[in-house]
């Protein structure tokens, strides 16, 4: 990750503008629009260019949030930006349990485990 100024901010309006980035992490536009409507969107910008986005939703348990989508545009992946955005959310919501679902083939499990997440449950065909 280069030393250029990195900013993370919550987006309250025009969330749909982040759809191209969110589609990197979730191919289902209908799903994205559903959790985007209910959730909180955070974007990561570098040199005034949005390169990442993360959406969280509240669960039925007030002490728990769910990461619905963490996406970094491909040309910035594997440079620490996803980790930076994830750490920001983990610190911001440090008093809550954070859950998420991911596939087993993309390398995401290792990414989240390195960030301190643990496998709680495995479900077959979660995304199909």
């Amino acid at each position: 990750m280069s030393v250029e100024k990195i900013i993370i901010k919550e987006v309250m309006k025009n969330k749909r503008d982040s759809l191209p980035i969110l589609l990197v992490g979730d191919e289902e536009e209908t799903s994205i629009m559903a959790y985007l409507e209910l959730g909180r969107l955070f974007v990561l910008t570098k040199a005034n260019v949005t390169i990442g986005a993360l959406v969280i939703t509240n669960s039925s348990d007030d002490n728990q949030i769910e990461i619905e989508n963490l996406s970094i545009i491909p040309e910035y992946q594997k440079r620490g930006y996803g980790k930076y955005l994830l750490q920001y959310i983990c610190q911001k919501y440090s008093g809550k349990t954070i859950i998420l679902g991911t596939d087993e083939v993309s390398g995401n499990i290792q990414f989240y485990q390195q960030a301190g997440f643990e496998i709680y449950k495995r479900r077959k065909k979660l995304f199909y």
Side-chain angles (χ1 to χ4, degrees), residues 32-47:
I32 293 171
M33 296 312 296
Y35 58 70
L36 200 53
E37 178 71 26
L38 299 172
R40 298 179 75 174
L41 170 65
F42 296 85
V43 296
L44 183 144
T45 59
K46 175 184 172 187

Side-chain angles (χ1 to χ4, degrees), residues 48-106:
N48 295 321
V49 176
T50 301
I51 62 169
L54 186 147
V55 180
I56 62 167
T57 56
N58 292 319
S59 76
S60 57
D61 178 346
D62 288 339
N63 292 317
Q64 182 172 287
I65 62 166
E66 181 169 359
I67 295 175
E68 298 285 353
N69 188 321
L70 169 56
S71 298
I72 304 295
I73 58 175
E75 52 268 31
Y76 288 93
Q77 291 178 1
K78 307 216 184 288
R79 296 186 189 177
Y81 297 109
K83 180 179 179 181
Y84 189 80
L85 186 51
L86 183 61
Q87 287 173 336
Y88 173 86
I89 293 299
C90 289
Q91 288 175 351
K92 183 170 181 64
Y93 294 95
S94 62
K96 296 190 180 261
T97 299
I98 301 173
I99 64 169
L100 59 94
T102 191
D103 63 47
E104 294 198 37
V105 294
S106 64

Side-chain angles (χ1 to χ4, degrees), residues 11 13-22 33 36 41 50:
V11 175
K13 297 179 181 177
N14 302 317
K15 293 182 188 180
R16 187 176 177 84
D17 293 348
S18 295
L19 185 61
I21 294 172
L22 294 169
M33 296 312 296
L36 200 53
L41 170 65
T50 301

